[in-house]
Amino acid sequence: MNNFLISKYKDVEPYVPGEQPRDKKYIKFNTNESPYPPSEAVLRAVKESARSLQLYPDPACRDLKAALAGSLGLEPENILPTNGSDEVLSLSFMAYAHDEKPAYYADVTYGFYDVLSGLFNVKANHFSLCDDFTIDIEQYCELDSGLIVIANPNAPTGIAIGVDEIEKICKESPNCVVLIDEAYVEFGAESCVGLVAKYPNLIVSRTYSKSMSLAGARLGYAIANNDRITELETLKYTLNPYSVNRTALAAGVSTIEDIEYYRNNCKLVADTRDKTAEKLRSLGFELTDSKTNFVFCRHPGVEASELSDKLRQAGILVRHFTGERTNDWLRISIGTPEDMSALTDTLEKILNGG
């Protein structure tokens, strides 16, 4: 079989998303999606946008930039809408990391960072999390150049660091671009968006996939100093000026206009997370202090792979990461209270030999 792929891409390992099986109906706790649908206002906006699908979307995303800027107390020039937050990550790796400028990130974090390092031939420096999966921020201070990437809260651990710690990194590594991936920040962590005006080396990445119930729309955005936004926007226009489609733009604006609906959903998810964590601890599980829409847990008496397999047989999907430091752990997304009760009831039966 002929292989036409050029050599520098032959060893690239793609990102592996959570499985989406179709053999039967599952309760899905493996992809960190919202258990709640978009608001009615968003659905109406999407339907209306479909009337103009014969036209290209606005490449400048002006309405969405204005809506986001207004909600964040920033200027439109500080915002770059993207095709999911993964596009922010891709553009940032392209712009700020290469052979002579490494990328720095944790050894246990979002797997897409490693994929991008491989794709763009970036030297990746992995900083080990502490034994309790917390970040030693001193490792990210006084670095000479390159791209620092920190998921806050982290995935799959769910643990967050404070804004003061992020500020210390920005201040003490001024020659590095510091990218803070805030995919899960709305579920209990503190955002560092307020630092953008103070630190020109800071980029904040956000997504509509988790807190805004729009994983299927593929919508994200970067928040940064005007110069950083211009740099990222230049690359975006070089690759795909229409990367954010018309329907996603309409949904994004309407979501901001209906923000209380989503804030209430985030609070409900966080409350459900905490109650689920309490129940799991009563079943003997050990958990990290998650500030996300998932829990990260292990049981000392049963291997994670066995629990994952038995839950799957019962029609429940969770995420098992097989890495050296995560092989004992499961990441379980938070669903509705009813779905979480189904999970914990099933786990109780499994632990009791059922």
Side-chain angles (χ1 to χ4, degrees):
M1 178 180 177
N2 291 330
N3 189 339
F4 297 104
L5 189 66
I6 62 176
S7 59
K8 70 177 181 178
Y9 295 129
K10 288 181 179 178
D11 295 325
V12 170
E13 295 186 15
Y15 179 71
V16 180
E19 63 175 325
Q20 304 272 9
R22 297 187 177 184
D23 56 319
K24 64 179 182 180
K25 184 175 177 60
Y26 291 90
I27 301 176
K28 291 178 75 276
F29 299 131
N30 65 326
T31 49
N32 295 344
E33 297 153 322
S34 173
Y36 303 108
S39 69
E40 289 298 322
V42 169
L43 295 178
R44 288 194 296 270
V46 167
K47 184 177 180 180
E48 181 61 30
S49 73
R51 299 177 183 274
S52 302
L53 286 181
Q54 78 276 16
L55 303 175
Y56 284 111
D58 174 15
C61 307
R62 286 167 290 190
D63 290 344
L64 182 55
K65 279 189 175 188
L68 286 168
S71 70
L72 295 168
L74 300 170
E75 297 298 324
E77 293 76 18
N78 296 123
I79 309 289
L80 175 63
T82 55
N83 186 265
S85 61
D86 285 342
E87 187 177 21
V88 177
L89 302 178
S90 299
L91 296 173
S92 297
F93 270 79
M94 290 176 64
Y96 306 115
H98 55 74
D99 290 345
E100 298 175 2
K101 291 190 174 185
Y104 309 92
Y105 48 87
D107 62 335
V108 179
T109 191
Y110 183 27
F112 198 50
Y113 305 156
D114 267 342
V115 172
L116 292 173
S117 291
L119 179 62
F120 297 122
N121 196 30
V122 170
K123 179 182 178 182
N125 288 352
H126 299 95
F127 291 147
S128 295
L129 296 179
C130 301
D131 290 343
D132 61 357
F133 290 129
T134 56
I135 291 176
D136 177 6
I137 66 163
E138 296 299 329
Q139 295 177 310
Y140 298 89
C141 296
E142 299 183 8
L143 297 175
D144 292 332
S145 65
L147 176 67
I148 295 170
V149 188
I150 298 175
N152 190 45
N154 194 20
T157 67
I159 299 173
I161 61 174
V163 171
D164 56 335
E165 296 173 289
I166 294 170
E167 182 168 17
K168 178 179 172 68
I169 294 170
C170 293
K171 184 177 180 179
E172 297 191 9
S173 295
N175 295 322
C176 292
V177 170
V178 180
L179 173 59
I180 304 299
D181 185 350
E182 291 190 346
Y184 300 98
V185 74
E186 291 94 342
F187 298 100
E190 188 179 4
S191 174
C192 67
V193 167
L195 298 178
V196 165
K198 188 175 181 181
Y199 295 97
N201 60 330
L202 174 63
I203 298 173
V204 180
S205 172
R206 290 279 192 88
T207 179
Y208 275 73
S209 294
K210 318 300 181 184
S211 60
M212 303 297 185
S213 303
L214 287 177
R218 309 309 304 130
L219 184 61
Y221 55 101
I223 307 163
N225 170 279
N226 297 6
D227 292 336
R228 302 293 80 72
I229 292 298
T230 298
E231 291 162 354
L232 295 176
E233 198 162 48
T234 297
L235 291 180
K236 178 199 166 188
Y237 272 72
T238 302
L239 290 169
N240 183 2
Y242 299 111
S243 68
V244 184
N245 69 65
R246 178 176 289 273
T247 299
L249 288 173
V253 171
S254 186
T255 296
I256 299 301
E257 294 170 349
D258 208 9
I259 195 64
E260 286 305 314
Y261 170 81
Y262 296 96
R263 288 175 178 164
N264 290 334
N265 284 349
C266 288
K267 185 179 185 304
L268 180 55
V269 168
D271 290 344
T272 305
R273 175 198 66 212
D274 293 343
K275 291 175 183 176
T276 300
E278 182 179 354
K279 177 62 177 178
L280 289 172
R281 289 190 181 96
S282 75
L283 295 176
F285 281 87
E286 175 187 348
L287 293 90
T288 60
D289 182 20
S290 175
K291 300 298 182 184
T292 64
N293 67 340
F294 59 82
V295 294
F296 195 54
C297 62
R298 67 177 176 183
H299 197 283
V302 188
E303 291 185 358
S305 58
E306 180 181 348
L307 285 174
S308 177
D309 289 343
K310 288 186 174 180
L311 285 170
R312 195 182 198 286
Q313 293 168 20
I316 298 174
L317 298 178
V318 298
R319 194 79 188 265
H320 176 222
F321 295 91
T322 57
E324 180 179 350
R325 299 188 64 187
T326 58
N327 194 51
D328 295 336
W329 295 78
L330 295 175
R331 191 197 70 188
I332 304 174
S333 306
I334 300 301
T336 64
E338 295 76 17
D339 284 344
M340 302 319 293
S341 293
L343 168 78
T344 53
D345 289 348
T346 303
L347 283 171
E348 189 167 12
K349 292 177 183 177
I350 292 171
L351 295 172
N352 289 329

